[in-house]
Amino acid sequence: MSPVAGLAVLAALAGCGTQQSPDPEAGPVKASAAVTGAPKVSKAPESSASDLLARAEAAMDAQNGWTFAVTGRESLKETGAPEGQGSAASYSATVERTGRPEALHQSGTVLSKGRRKPEEVFAADGTGYVREGAPGTPWTKGPLTAPGIAAKVEDPLAALESFTAYVERNERIEVTRTDGEIELRMRIPAGHLADRTERPAIAKAADEFRPTLDKLREAGVTSDEKRIVLTGLEEILTLDARTYRMISCRSSFGFAVPHEGRQLRYEQDLRADTRSAFTGRIEVPEAAR
């Protein structure tokens, strides 16, 4: 779920300017910082991760729709570059998601280079519709499997499918309870982009990194996937301990890309919080079809 999908390439590669960092209020709380100073935490051995995920899916399916608040940020900079130099962008949106029929509508804002640009997305019947700009801007549409479309669609409920895939591939999922919440956490401390063929979490991060990597390729970066290092990945899914409904999902990851003796570091953080049940109907506007 890339929050910006296609971050501008570093000024060091393009040979000009720097970009303004995103507003602090627009970015999410980092996954690694979200539990800082948390109260006493206890393990939850009485329920396996797969059992908890099945209960969570049933709980979310019991309501036809949900509204989520999504925030994200991504950055690309050269190691050792002065603070504030490089590329940075942030994203915030409201996402409405229904299950019967399956459809999604998100309306948000991208902040980059100190400028805000509205963005609206619909997803229904296997097709995504994206408008980047104010009303009147032409829509772009394509299959949800297309990288340019998939990177724009932020579906918080996909976190349940992702964690289920991790369990099926024997990834270690840490389960803890704290203050009426159940937290499922998956960490990969290090790896390589090439590991995406074996590990679904890295494959998902690779998909989100792809628009930026494509731009780096266009700018002359030739490092292959075995040389591009995963500097860390963490995903946290938080459930209500009583209802098993999803409270939030958070993810963070980074890649280090070697280039001509330098190292380019990409980082992304994304957070989605469940706000309320959604009882409306999502319809793709005629102008987007």
Side-chain angles (χ1 to χ4, degrees):
M1 293 186 291
S2 176
V4 184
L7 192 68
V9 176
L10 270 176
L13 293 178
C16 61
T18 60
Q19 295 186 10
Q20 181 174 332
S21 298
D23 291 347
E25 297 175 352
V29 177
K30 280 194 175 182
S32 59
V35 293
T36 301
K40 291 182 179 179
V41 175
S42 62
K43 301 293 181 182
E46 67 273 16
S47 298
S48 66
S50 58
D51 177 56
L52 291 169
L53 290 166
R55 295 186 189 189
E57 185 174 354
M60 298 305 284
D61 284 348
Q63 177 69 39
N64 187 55
W66 297 94
T67 299
F68 302 90
V70 175
T71 53
R73 66 178 178 180
E74 59 181 351
S75 64
L76 180 70
K77 64 181 181 179
E78 181 183 346
T79 301
E83 186 67 27
Q85 187 174 21
S87 300
S90 64
Y91 178 72
S92 60
T94 297
V95 176
E96 298 163 342
R97 169 73 152 80
T98 59
R100 294 178 295 276
E102 286 195 10
L104 177 145
H105 173 225
Q106 67 190 57
S107 180
T109 303
V110 176
L111 172 64
S112 180
K113 301 181 183 180
R115 297 181 179 180
R116 297 181 183 275
K117 181 172 69 173
E119 180 179 279
E120 190 168 14
V121 178
F122 285 89
D125 299 323
T127 301
Y129 308 81
V130 179
R131 181 175 66 188
E132 299 177 277
T137 303
W139 290 81
T140 300
K141 73 174 183 178
L144 292 174
T145 53
I149 298 295
K152 291 291 185 180
V153 177
E154 311 293 352
D155 183 2
L157 289 181
L160 298 176
E161 296 179 8
S162 295
F163 268 81
T164 298
Y166 303 157
V167 171
E168 292 173 350
R169 295 294 292 272
N170 296 316
E171 294 284 6
R172 182 176 181 273
I173 307 294
E174 180 183 341
V175 180
T176 57
R177 292 179 183 267
T178 175
D179 289 347
E181 297 179 355
I182 301 174
E183 189 175 88
L184 290 81
R185 184 189 300 257
M186 193 280 299
R187 289 192 184 100
I188 299 178
H192 293 85
L193 183 58
D195 297 338
R196 64 185 178 84
T197 58
E198 301 295 332
R199 307 187 77 171
I202 297 179
K204 187 170 75 170
D207 288 343
E208 296 166 2
F209 177 47
R210 180 174 173 176
T212 297
L213 181 59
D214 287 345
K215 288 187 176 295
L216 289 173
R217 297 289 191 219
E218 293 172 6
V221 175
T222 59
S223 301
D224 62 31
E225 293 190 358
K226 291 182 179 179
R227 296 181 61 213
I228 298 176
V229 175
L230 176 76
T231 57
L233 183 153
E234 181 177 66
E235 294 190 32
I236 303 172
L237 177 65
T238 303
L239 310 176
D240 184 288
R242 183 178 63 84
T243 65
Y244 297 101
R245 290 178 179 174
M246 187 175 82
I247 295 175
S248 68
C249 57
R250 291 162 284 170
S251 68
S252 63
F253 68 88
F255 286 105
V257 184
H259 177 63
E260 297 182 348
R262 296 172 289 164
Q263 190 177 79
L264 311 176
R265 296 184 70 92
Y266 173 87
E267 294 183 348
Q268 184 193 116
D269 296 282
L270 189 70
R271 175 173 182 139
D273 294 287
T274 307
R275 290 304 186 211
S276 62
F278 175 70
T279 57
R281 181 178 177 84
I282 298 172
E283 296 184 358
V284 179
E286 191 62 34
R289 295 182 179 276

